[in-house]
């Protein structure tokens, strides 16, 4: 039986915000945003298809890369409906449950992406520290278990957030500051104490992004220590060169995240446009750049994509 509170939530709507001060240019702005979505979804889908189709790419490094591509497609698809809805049709209204669902998927896929980047740093450490036992350590069942573990951890940690938000009363104008739903935005809406939600949100950030980034740094310290022990300069350069794409992916992911966190705490009174741009860079840039980075820097991925198109052409 529904309570009065639940019934009111069923009727509750949330209003999203476009790009502050540039509402009249939404039509033109939709072109670069839609282009980014196309590049992100198509680029990452090509990487997944190439890894799946080419047996030569069924190695730990490329299997982890395909996992990263899955998370980035997930983030892009999670934000696409509301962002393009605002830019194309000025559709700013979303029902509350839909907003909670979008928030859950954005944060879950972001958490999974952080976990996959950590797994990839472990992969690079094993490949450099013990290359002869690389495939024996990172077997397919172990890689699948790591992927499932990352997924279960992300879903389990993020599931309480929408559940707790749904228990709170909402009695003010429900306007968010972005064109998608984020937990940091939604906890500003209830007319009740949200201390528990804030503490839980902070704990999740520390247990996922904070811990993952720390372990990635430790992994690269161990990698650097191992590389310095290699006798030849050519061997050291070759070992480090295998890490370049992953280092770029880590920087592309974590630098905007740190920038957003600093902006929220140290520049609260900055223009809303600046906050919107920083959040957009954090969510939209990594899915666009990572497939480009890995395609440019990783020859087997380039060859796999070329082979994929060659096979399609032969079938036609």
């Amino acid at each position: 039986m529904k309570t009065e509170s639940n019934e009111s939530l069923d009727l509750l709507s949330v209003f999203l915000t476009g790009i502050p001060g540039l509402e009249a240019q939404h039509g033109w702005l939709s072109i670069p945003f839609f282009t980014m979505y196309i590049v992100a979804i198509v680029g990452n889908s090509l990487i997944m298809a190439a890894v799946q189709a080419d047996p030569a790419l069924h190695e730990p490094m490329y299997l982890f890369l395909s996992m990263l591509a899955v998370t980035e497609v997930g983030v892009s698809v999670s934000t696409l409906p509301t962002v393009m809805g605002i830019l194309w049709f000025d559709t700013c209204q979303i029902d509350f449950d839909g907003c909670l669902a979008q928030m859950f998927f954005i944060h879950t896929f972001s958490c999974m992406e952080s976990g996959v980047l950590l797994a990839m740093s472990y992969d690079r450490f094993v490949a450099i520290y013990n290359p002869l036992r690389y495939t024996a350590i990172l077997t397919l069942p172990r890689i699948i278990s790591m992927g499932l573990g990352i997924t279960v951890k992300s879903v389990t940690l993020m599931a309480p957030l929408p559940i707790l938000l749904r228990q709170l009363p909402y009695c003010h104008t429900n306007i968010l500051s972005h064109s998608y739903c984020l937990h940091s935005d939604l906890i500003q809406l209830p007319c009740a104490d949200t201390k528990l939600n804030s503490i839980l949100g902070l704990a999740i950030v520390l247990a996922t992004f904070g811990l993952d980034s720390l372990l990635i740094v430790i992994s690269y310290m161990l990698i650097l220590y191992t590389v310095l022990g290699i006798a030849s300069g050519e061997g050291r350069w070759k070992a480090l060169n295998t890490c370049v794409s992953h280092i770029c992916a880590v920087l592309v992911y974590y630098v905007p995240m740190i920038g957003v966190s600093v902006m929220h705490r140290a520049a609260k009174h900055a223009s809303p446009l600046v906050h919107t741009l920083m959040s957009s860079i954090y969510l939209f840039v990594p899915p666009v750049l990572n497939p480009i980075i890995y395609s440019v820097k990783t020859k087997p991925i380039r060859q796999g994509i070329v082979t994929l198109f060659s096979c399609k052409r032969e079938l036609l």
Side-chain angles (χ1 to χ4, degrees), residues 172-185:
H172 298 298
T173 303
N174 298 306
I175 300 176
L176 300 182
S177 58
H178 299 292
S179 50
Y180 37 81
C181 301
L182 298 176
H183 184 256
S184 57
D185 246 4

Side-chain angles (χ1 to χ4, degrees), residues 155-170:
V155 171
T156 302
L157 287 174
M158 296 303 169
L161 297 181
I163 294 171
L164 287 174
L165 282 170
R166 217 178 187 286
Q167 310 307 312
L168 296 170
Y170 296 81

Side-chain angles (χ1 to χ4, degrees), residues 161-237:
L161 297 181
I163 294 171
L164 287 174
L165 282 170
R166 217 178 187 286
Q167 310 307 312
L168 296 170
Y170 296 81
C171 49
H172 298 298
T173 303
N174 298 306
I175 300 176
L176 300 182
S177 58
H178 299 292
S179 50
Y180 37 81
C181 301
L182 298 176
H183 184 256
S184 57
D185 246 4
L186 283 167
I187 60 171
Q188 308 297 324
L189 301 183
C191 50
D193 185 17
T194 58
K195 188 178 293 183
L196 176 61
N197 303 70
S198 298
I199 292 171
L200 178 61
L202 178 60
I204 290 171
V205 168
L206 293 175
T208 53
F209 306 109
L211 183 59
D212 289 349
S213 59
L214 176 62
L215 293 175
I216 289 171
V217 170
I218 292 172
S219 295
Y220 272 99
M221 289 172 64
L222 294 172
I223 287 171
L224 187 59
Y225 178 79
T226 304
V227 168
L228 291 175
I230 298 174
S232 70
E234 184 182 350
R236 287 196 293 269
W237 169 249

Side-chain angles (χ1 to χ4, degrees), residues 255-273:
V255 170
M257 177 189 289
I258 294 169
V260 170
S261 299
V262 171
M263 286 294 297
H264 275 295
R265 286 160 179 78
K268 290 183 178 179
H269 302 295
S271 165
L273 178 60

Side-chain angles (χ1 to χ4, degrees), residues 7-14 93-97 170-172 174 189:
E7 287 175 354
S8 64
L9 286 179
D10 290 339
L11 300 174
L12 183 66
S13 291
V14 174
Q93 188 172 348
I94 181 174
D95 69 87
F96 187 68
D97 286 334
Y170 296 81
C171 49
H172 298 298
N174 298 306
L189 301 183

Side-chain angles (χ1 to χ4, degrees), residues 74-95:
V75 171
S76 298
V77 170
S78 297
T79 59
L80 186 150
T82 53
V83 172
M84 297 314 301
I86 290 173
L87 295 177
W88 277 342
F89 310 111
D90 289 326
T91 307
C92 298
Q93 188 172 348
I94 181 174
D95 69 87

